[in-house]
């Protein structure tokens, strides 16, 4: 089956710093989404981005489907950005989202 | 437009008891999915409904879990009897189609079995 690897697995930042999270996948995908699971366990939809670039405030994402990776950029990080970031993909011809291993982010005040 | 809504947001039950989780998908979305994250591991697929029919329940861990979707609208996931290893966060998602379409996830139900 498809492998969805995220890096780094853990990341600690000072408030105000920028970061880049990466998602690599081993097969062709139709869909790709980024999520933030906050410390209370809630899953927040960030981006639906099967290809191209999107921006939403301090967050932006880029997916290069032909090279099988996606990047999530967080600028001017805040303590509320802490939590686990997941990317999830749908393999071409299927319908299930396969989630990555996650990046655990902690932003220090 | 309301998003995917899950009830309750948090449930604490004793081992051996029964718990029912509910998911209200976005109106008009025929496809409904259940996922869960347990023990800090990855988020895993449980099952997929198209309207009221189960299309794929290959991710259901065992027969203590029962999912239903009445009339193709809301869905329930019952755990009976609950075990300690069922603790985790259960997510529901819905989409209008099931390929090449965005899935909208609810914020999850945190289940704690003590």
């Amino acid at each position: 089956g498809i492998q969805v690897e995220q890096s780094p697995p853990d990341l600690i930042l000072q408030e105000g710093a920028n970061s880049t999270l990466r998602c690599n996948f081993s097969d062709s995908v139709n869909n790709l989404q980024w999520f933030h699971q906050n410390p209370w366990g809630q899953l927040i939809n960030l981006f639906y981005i099967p290809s191209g670039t999107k921006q939403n405030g301090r967050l932006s994402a880029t997916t290069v489907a032909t090279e099988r990776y996606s990047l999530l950029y967080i600028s001017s990080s805040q303590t509320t950005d802490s939590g686990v970031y997941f990317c999830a993909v749908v393999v071409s011809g299927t319908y299930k989202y396969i989630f990555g291993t996650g990046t655990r982010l902690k932003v220090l005040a | 437009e309301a998003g995917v809504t899950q009830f309750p947001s948090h449930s604490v039950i004793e081992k051996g008891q029964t718990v029912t989780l509910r998911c209200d998908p976005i109106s008009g979305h025929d496809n409904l999915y259940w996922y869960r994250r347990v023990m800090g591991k990855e988020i895993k697929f449980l099952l997929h409904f198209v309207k009221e029919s189960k299309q794929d329940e290959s991710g259901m861990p065992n027969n203590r879990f029962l999912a239903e979707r009445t009339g193709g609208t809301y869905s329930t996931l019952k755990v009976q009897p609950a075990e300690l290893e069922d603790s985790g966060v259960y997510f529901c998602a819905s989409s209008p189609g099931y390929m090449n379409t965005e899935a909208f996830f609810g914020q999850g139900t945190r289940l704690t079995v003590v």
Side-chain angles (χ1 to χ4, degrees):
Chain A
I2 188 171
Q3 302 297 312
V4 185
E5 300 287 340
Q6 292 185 240
S7 60
D10 296 280
L11 185 59
I12 300 176
L13 300 174
Q14 281 298 136
E15 199 168 27
N18 303 329
S19 61
T20 301
L21 282 56
R22 187 176 180 104
C23 173
N24 291 332
F25 41 96
S26 59
D27 203 345
S28 297
V29 300
N30 285 335
N31 294 346
L32 188 146
Q33 292 186 225
W34 282 95
F35 301 91
H36 172 214
Q37 187 178 27
N38 65 23
W40 296 270
Q42 298 171 322
L43 198 64
I44 311 299
N45 302 274
L46 295 178
F47 293 103
Y48 171 68
I49 186 166
S51 64
T53 298
K54 288 186 178 179
Q55 180 158 7
N56 184 4
R58 297 182 296 104
L59 303 181
S60 63
T62 295
T63 297
V64 185
T66 53
E67 297 189 18
R68 300 182 181 173
Y69 74 89
S70 183
L71 302 174
L72 177 69
Y73 305 95
I74 304 174
S75 64
S76 304
S77 57
Q78 301 175 357
T79 55
T80 52
D81 295 332
S82 296
V84 184
Y85 289 79
F86 291 100
C87 71
V89 303
V90 177
V91 175
S92 299
T94 72
Y95 51 82
K96 291 184 234 186
Y97 271 92
I98 306 297
F99 281 78
T101 48
T103 291
R104 183 176 300 275
L105 173 66
K106 185 167 187 177
V107 181
L108 305 176
Chain B
E1 179 182 2
V4 176
T5 308
Q6 294 187 242
F7 305 96
S9 57
H10 191 191
S11 179
V12 181
I13 62 171
E14 293 184 350
K15 177 182 172 181
Q17 289 186 322
T18 297
V19 64
T20 300
L21 314 181
R22 172 169 169 147
C23 169
D24 286 59
I26 293 173
S27 177
H29 283 193
D30 287 341
N31 293 273
L32 188 149
Y33 310 83
W34 284 96
Y35 290 78
R36 73 171 184 174
R37 184 181 188 213
V38 297
M39 304 288 288
K41 295 184 179 176
E42 292 157 32
I43 299 175
K44 297 281 193 181
F45 169 84
L46 295 179
L47 86 160
H48 170 214
F49 285 98
V50 177
K51 297 185 179 178
E52 69 275 7
S53 300
K54 292 177 188 175
Q55 289 295 110
D56 182 351
E57 51 185 328
S58 62
M60 295 288 265
N62 52 60
N63 59 11
R64 294 185 295 103
F65 289 76
L66 175 64
E68 294 178 322
R69 189 178 182 193
T70 306
T73 55
Y74 70 91
S75 175
T76 57
L77 180 65
K78 180 189 288 188
V79 185
Q80 179 182 30
E83 298 290 343
L84 298 179
E85 64 264 25
D86 300 331
S87 296
V89 186
Y90 290 75
F91 299 103
C92 173
S94 73
S95 69
Y98 63 92
M99 290 190 188
N100 302 321
T101 59
E102 181 178 2
F104 296 85
F105 280 73
Q107 294 195 326
T109 293
R110 177 180 288 278
L111 175 63
T112 303
V113 183
V114 298

